[in-house]
Amino acid sequence: MNFEDTHLNDDILDALYDMHFTTCTPIQEKCIPEILNHRDVLGVAQTGTGKTAAYLLPILSMLSDGKKYPPDAVNCIIMSPTRELAQQIDQALQGFSYYLDTVSSVAVYGGNDGGRYDQELRGLRLGTDIIIATPGRLISHINMGNADLSRVSFLILDEADRMLDMGFYDDIMLIASHLPTERQTIMFSATMPPKIEQMAATLLHDPVKVKISPSQPADKITQQACLCNEDQKLSIVEHLSQANQLQRAIIFTASKAKARQISHALRQRDINCAEMHSDLDQPTRDETMRRFKARHIDVLVATDIIARGIDIDDIQTIINYDVPRDPEDYVHRIGRTARAERDGQALTLVSPADRQHLRRIEQFLHHPIPRTADSQPETTHPQQPHPRHSDKRPRRDTPKHRRNHNPRQRKPRNTNNSH
């Protein structure tokens, strides 16, 4: 299905066109019509499937078109488990709402300075349309009387399973208690454990259930397991760097201490890298991600803090320096590559002590991961970006709002999308 066939707002279609997005992913194709029909939706989909757009696009379309949503009220709450994911959602929203001049938003999350807090406060008090928030920060604003949620029309829970893993169940239910019972609720989760089913039964009303290949890596990821000793792992990473395989890479480790240790060792080997873990303060983490996205850093050495919640299309290589203990974490880690129709590679370094964990991952995936016992694994070269992401813009054939050779004049973009 093409986005032109989804009945989205024309301004949103223009933004998608400018971003070179023409075709819906499966989760978008199934969710967008149901959300536009005001149905509650329970979506089970892994990261990288386009689920953020699956809920943002129809919500933005309804807020822009609908006259029943008061301009002085908070109309939509989007809950995120982490600051990083909240920032990612906010960035996506800014792109999709590029031509909208009637929809405002504010991101609310901890770890900021006083200036950021003041911006949050202004947005909440003026009645921003959309709040993107982590649970703890939003509860703080509620307790201080900064947020009136009595007229909210939409509640969205993104990565609900991760929020429960982080102990946010009670916080979510507390926030929901401040919302009207008559609302549209949308929940996305990569897995469906009993606790998620319980929360869905409480918060959602007769939801449409959409399930898209949960917990399986993308087909375009070339997976490989390198059997080695623990003391060989650093040399393997160095070999990959010499083979130009670490130009856009993330190396996942099991601990913050190991992330610091490996990052230091790689810098000593003249590998352009930086560390990313929860011991870093928020400004440092933000700056590191900005530099990585801008290609000023080639390699991130990270804990699972970024296994979910970042969306960078051009990551070529994922290295599991330590085999994750939870197979779901393996899927989320390697899901950082092969995004936006690109190819990618995932290499897992497996010491003798890690082999039982590798077998658990293979049982979870229902297939073996190709192995090599060589300390210098095979190197591959991801294909060039898909033409959709090239600099040349594709042409749309008679789009709905540019037909009859009477092109619509673009209004100036909204440059202030948050109060």
Side-chain angles (χ1 to χ4, degrees), residues 129-409:
D129 287 295
I130 301 174
I131 296 176
I132 306 161
T134 53
R137 186 70 160 208
L138 183 56
I139 287 176
S140 296
H141 281 293
I142 292 173
N143 290 339
M144 290 185 289
N146 297 334
D148 177 8
L149 308 183
S150 63
R151 293 185 284 176
V152 168
S153 297
F154 305 99
L155 171 63
I156 300 167
L157 304 175
D158 199 351
E159 296 196 358
D161 53 341
R162 192 176 183 192
M163 282 195 273
L164 296 196
D165 289 342
M166 296 172 69
F168 287 137
Y169 179 85
D170 291 339
D171 290 346
I172 292 170
M173 300 309 294
L174 176 61
I175 291 168
S177 70
H178 288 268
L179 307 182
T181 55
E182 295 294 325
R183 64 173 188 268
Q184 187 174 357
T185 305
I186 300 157
M187 180 187 297
F188 280 98
S189 179
T191 60
M192 192 55 61
K195 195 77 170 178
I196 288 290
E197 295 180 350
Q198 174 187 342
M199 187 166 68
T202 303
L203 297 178
L204 278 68
H205 173 69
D206 189 25
V208 176
K209 296 181 180 179
V210 178
K211 192 172 184 178
I212 304 292
S213 301
S215 302
Q216 290 295 320
D219 293 336
K220 288 181 172 288
I221 302 175
T222 301
Q223 301 176 60
Q224 188 178 14
C226 181
L227 307 182
C228 60
N229 294 321
E230 187 68 28
D231 58 6
Q232 292 177 296
K233 291 183 177 182
L234 202 57
S235 297
I236 293 172
V237 174
E238 186 176 13
H239 163 74
L240 291 172
S241 177
Q242 293 169 350
N244 293 323
Q245 291 295 292
L246 294 185
Q247 295 177 355
R248 300 293 289 156
I250 299 177
I251 300 174
F252 282 106
T253 69
S255 68
K256 295 174 284 188
K258 186 170 280 189
R260 287 191 293 266
Q261 173 190 350
I262 295 169
S263 180
H264 177 71
L266 294 181
R267 284 194 295 268
Q268 287 185 320
R269 289 163 169 78
D270 294 325
I271 296 174
N272 179 19
C273 69
E275 61 195 74
M276 174 67 73
H277 49 76
S278 59
D279 276 355
L280 302 174
D281 60 34
Q282 188 62 37
T284 301
R285 285 155 61 179
D286 291 343
E287 176 63 13
T288 299
M289 288 304 301
R290 185 196 66 78
R291 294 179 61 213
F292 184 60
K293 291 179 180 179
R295 292 176 167 263
H296 297 156
I297 297 172
D298 294 332
V299 181
L300 277 185
V301 184
T303 60
D304 284 320
I305 191 173
I306 61 170
R308 292 200 262 182
I310 67 167
D311 188 6
I312 303 175
D313 288 345
D314 62 349
I315 295 173
Q316 299 176 357
T317 304
I318 299 296
I319 298 176
N320 290 309
Y321 199 95
D322 299 308
V323 180
R325 299 301 185 255
D326 187 340
E328 288 278 358
D329 290 339
Y330 174 84
V331 174
H332 292 302
R333 285 182 179 186
I334 72 173
R336 300 307 95 206
T337 189
R339 302 173 75 85
E341 301 183 21
R342 288 173 164 88
D343 291 347
Q345 60 178 338
L347 174 66
T348 301
L349 306 182
V350 186
S351 67
D354 287 332
R355 294 186 185 183
Q356 60 176 325
H357 304 300
L358 178 65
R359 287 192 291 271
R360 288 183 59 205
I361 291 171
E362 291 176 325
Q363 291 171 357
F364 182 80
L365 299 177
H366 304 296
H367 65 75
I369 298 173
R371 287 166 166 75
T372 175
D374 190 347
S375 62
Q376 296 184 353
E378 296 178 11
T379 58
T380 61
H381 298 277
Q383 296 178 359
Q384 293 299 313
H386 188 274
R388 190 184 74 179
H389 300 275
S390 64
D391 291 333
K392 184 177 180 180
R393 178 180 295 180
R395 300 176 69 90
R396 289 203 295 178
D397 294 331
T398 60
K400 292 179 182 177
H401 46 291
R402 290 195 176 92
R403 56 169 64 103
N404 297 330
H405 304 287
N406 183 23
R408 166 183 167 189
Q409 294 297 315

Side-chain angles (χ1 to χ4, degrees), residues 30-31 39-44 197 200 206-211:
K30 292 187 177 182
C31 288
R39 294 291 304 276
D40 285 7
V41 172
L42 175 59
V44 181
E197 295 180 350
D206 189 25
V208 176
K209 296 181 180 179
V210 178
K211 192 172 184 178

Side-chain angles (χ1 to χ4, degrees), residues 3 8-9 12 16 19 28 31-32 35-36 50-64 76-78 85-97 100 103 105 130-132 154 156 158 186 188:
F3 284 112
L8 291 169
N9 178 288
I12 293 175
L16 291 171
M19 298 166 74
Q28 294 162 2
C31 288
I32 290 175
I35 295 173
L36 289 174
K51 59 182 175 59
T52 303
Y55 63 78
L56 279 182
L57 295 175
I59 295 298
L60 285 169
S61 187
M62 287 188 286
L63 287 176
S64 179
C76 175
I77 299 289
I78 302 175
L85 180 57
Q87 290 171 327
Q88 188 65 51
I89 296 169
D90 188 34
Q91 291 168 5
L93 188 150
Q94 300 306 319
F96 297 145
S97 62
L100 299 180
V103 179
S105 66
I130 301 174
I131 296 176
I132 306 161
F154 305 99
I156 300 167
D158 199 351
I186 300 157
F188 280 98

